[in-house]
Amino acid sequence: MKIGIIREGKVPPDSRVLFTPKQCATLQEKYDLQFVVQPSPGRCLPDEAYASEGIKVQEDVSDCDVLMGIKEVPKEQLIPNKKYFFFSHTIKAQPYNRALLQKILEENITLFDYEVLTNEKKQRVIAFGRFAGIVGAHNGMMTYGNRTGAFELKQMHKYDDYAAAIAYYKTLSFPKMKIVVTGTGRVANGAAEVFDHMEIRKVSPQDFLEKEYDEAVYTQLDCEHYAAPKEDKPFELMDFYQNPQNYKSIFEPYTKVADLMVNGIYWANEAPAFFTKAAMKEEDFNIKVIADVTCDIAPVASIPSTLFATTIAKPVFGYDPESESAVEPYQAHTIDMMTIDNLPNELPKDASKSFGEQFTAHVIEELLGLKNTGMLERAMIAKDGQLGPHFQYLTDYVQGA
């Protein structure tokens, strides 16, 4: 099998890559496969590093059996009748990628999406969530430091790697502040990891709401802390997952005491938002910075002030609650929003190495036909001009205008 690692075509470009040069070389030695790497000046690991490991670097990838990238491939760069792997951002019927999926079906492309590569227990086997949470928490703290002037923290991508950022944390002291992290999955745990490295004390949700502290503290919320059944009955996690439309938000107490919010949940479209735009106008709405790692775009979003995704080049905008619009950040009346949607790209070397390890451990033998647990079928969004068997629910989406 010949696998092509394609150059990222989406703008702004992503500098991550699927495998490091050493990982490519190791896989070539172990299995009957060959890598071809398309040249890219923006990749975090240079072309020369691949060439030095004996990996072929060339522009033409048309004879590859499988083409692999990170972000969505622009429609005009798709090669018909090929197998592709990338994060397509179509499984929630995202309107901005409808035309991309239509083109994939039109060109008889087989598309596998990393986001839905799962094991037999339906657990994801490849995810950048930890790195999204790490960078989200870091950049949220950067935003709070910029707003208050209480400490100075550079944006994550300005550090060589995560280890360098951790070393810098040890030189800082943080003001009295309260940080709320939502979620308990990879993203939220990545965020909590940063606060632990910053030596910020973790407290229980109840203590967070009821107690005063003379230091920076954070708490981490599970679903039952921010959502409750609309009817008067006990919270049941599986019911919340299956019927999120039957739940209401109970997050309001945290808006009155938290200074910084890091949102790291997986949000279903039918689930309640944490709060409303009207609530953000109230004088007792205390949150001044929101790092929305989840980054679903309003109005269908868990955070109503996530008006758009920001970029690594311009990571923060100010949300004016009165006009409900985006303005310049760091003003007295703004709530400052960090809503980058490709956060792991700020730690590209760490994230790339992790990705290659996960793909090698869980997917490569499935791809080579050495084992079959149904993983690839479960992740196959399109094949032969038709939606995959697990994605028939997208029929109305692709037939839309």
Side-chain angles (χ1 to χ4, degrees), residues 28-165:
Q28 283 191 163
E29 288 177 15
K30 184 175 181 179
Y31 299 107
D32 183 20
L33 63 83
Q34 178 187 356
F35 283 100
V36 176
V37 176
Q38 205 170 34
S40 174
R43 196 176 282 136
C44 66
L45 298 165
D47 299 337
E48 298 75 29
Y50 288 91
S52 68
E53 290 284 350
I55 308 302
K56 186 177 289 187
V57 179
Q58 65 182 44
E59 184 65 32
D60 185 7
V61 293
S62 61
D63 66 340
C64 291
D65 303 295
V66 178
L67 299 172
M68 299 178 67
I70 296 284
K71 289 288 193 174
E72 303 98 309
V73 177
K75 298 191 300 295
E76 64 277 7
Q77 294 178 19
L78 291 166
I79 302 175
N81 307 308
K82 288 291 182 184
K83 291 180 180 177
Y84 277 90
F85 281 79
F86 54 83
F87 287 104
S88 71
H89 299 113
T90 58
I91 63 171
K92 292 171 73 173
Q94 291 94 322
Y96 56 90
N97 277 333
R98 177 189 282 119
L100 172 63
L101 187 50
Q102 289 171 333
K103 183 71 170 177
I104 285 166
L105 293 167
E106 181 185 318
E107 299 287 3
N108 293 314
I109 287 167
T110 300
L111 172 63
F112 301 97
D113 192 310
Y114 304 119
E115 191 170 355
V116 283
L117 283 168
T118 58
N119 61 22
E120 291 165 291
K121 295 180 180 178
K122 298 185 179 180
Q123 298 164 325
R124 285 182 65 181
V125 298
I126 289 185
F128 285 114
R130 172 175 171 253
F131 292 100
I134 287 168
V135 180
H138 175 103
N139 285 353
M141 287 295 280
M142 172 203 73
T143 304
Y144 192 81
N146 289 348
R147 181 185 178 90
T148 62
F151 56 91
E152 188 174 335
L153 192 61
K154 294 182 295 186
Q155 197 170 340
M156 182 62 96
H157 73 89
K158 295 183 179 178
Y159 298 86
D160 189 54
D161 55 19
Y162 185 31

Side-chain angles (χ1 to χ4, degrees), residues 84-369:
Y84 277 90
F85 281 79
F86 54 83
F87 287 104
S88 71
H89 299 113
T90 58
I91 63 171
K92 292 171 73 173
Q94 291 94 322
Y96 56 90
N97 277 333
R98 177 189 282 119
L100 172 63
L101 187 50
Q102 289 171 333
K103 183 71 170 177
I104 285 166
L105 293 167
E106 181 185 318
E107 299 287 3
N108 293 314
I109 287 167
T110 300
L111 172 63
F112 301 97
D113 192 310
Y114 304 119
E115 191 170 355
V116 283
L117 283 168
T118 58
N119 61 22
E120 291 165 291
K121 295 180 180 178
K122 298 185 179 180
Q123 298 164 325
R124 285 182 65 181
V125 298
I126 289 185
F128 285 114
R130 172 175 171 253
F131 292 100
I134 287 168
V135 180
H138 175 103
N139 285 353
M141 287 295 280
M142 172 203 73
T143 304
Y144 192 81
N146 289 348
R147 181 185 178 90
T148 62
F151 56 91
E152 188 174 335
L153 192 61
K154 294 182 295 186
Q155 197 170 340
M156 182 62 96
H157 73 89
K158 295 183 179 178
Y159 298 86
D160 189 54
D161 55 19
Y162 185 31
I166 291 171
Y168 182 71
Y169 299 158
K170 306 307 179 187
T171 71
L172 295 176
S173 60
F174 298 101
K176 174 184 173 181
M177 62 183 295
K178 285 186 169 182
I179 304 159
V180 60
V181 178
T182 57
T184 55
R186 289 186 182 95
V187 171
N189 289 338
E193 186 181 318
V194 167
F195 297 127
D196 291 341
H197 281 302
M198 290 177 170
E199 299 181 359
I200 293 174
R201 178 145 68 105
K202 186 175 186 177
V203 300
S204 71
Q206 184 174 352
D207 284 352
F208 186 87
L209 292 175
E210 296 176 358
K211 293 184 178 181
E212 286 293 322
Y213 296 91
D214 292 325
E215 61 183 316
V217 298
Y218 83 94
T219 197
Q220 188 173 356
L221 307 186
D222 205 342
C223 305
E224 65 192 63
H225 296 119
Y226 60 78
K230 291 177 182 177
E231 297 180 3
D232 186 18
K233 63 179 184 178
F235 180 92
E236 293 184 13
L237 185 62
M238 290 311 299
D239 184 62
F240 177 57
Y241 289 158
Q242 294 167 4
N243 301 289
Q245 70 280 1
N246 295 335
Y247 286 72
K248 62 184 179 182
S249 172
I250 55 170
F251 185 75
E252 183 182 16
Y254 296 93
T255 69
K256 301 180 189 306
V257 298
D259 301 290
L260 165 63
M261 176 183 185
V262 180
N263 182 26
I265 64 168
Y266 176 84
W267 189 74
N269 290 357
E270 301 82 13
F274 286 104
F275 41 79
T276 64
K277 288 184 176 180
M280 298 179 78
K281 299 179 196 288
E282 299 296 327
E283 286 188 14
D284 61 356
F285 191 91
N286 191 67
I287 298 172
K288 296 297 186 289
V289 171
I290 299 174
D292 189 4
V293 185
T294 298
C295 199
D296 285 312
I297 307 303
V300 185
S302 55
I303 304 286
S305 51
T306 300
L307 304 181
F308 53 86
T310 56
T311 64
I312 292 172
K314 192 173 182 182
V316 182
F317 71 89
Y319 175 77
D320 180 352
E322 290 306 317
S323 65
E324 301 182 357
S325 63
V327 296
E328 286 300 306
Y330 310 131
Q331 300 183 68
H333 68 290
T334 62
I335 296 165
D336 295 322
M337 303 292 302
M338 196 293 302
T339 61
I340 297 171
D341 65 353
N342 61 334
L343 287 163
N345 195 38
E346 291 207 43
L347 282 177
K349 294 176 185 176
D350 297 81
S352 297
K353 182 173 181 288
S354 175
F355 186 99
E357 290 169 348
Q358 293 174 78
F359 200 95
T360 298
H362 302 291
V363 188
I364 195 70
E365 292 190 351
E366 300 266 349
L367 180 59
L368 296 173

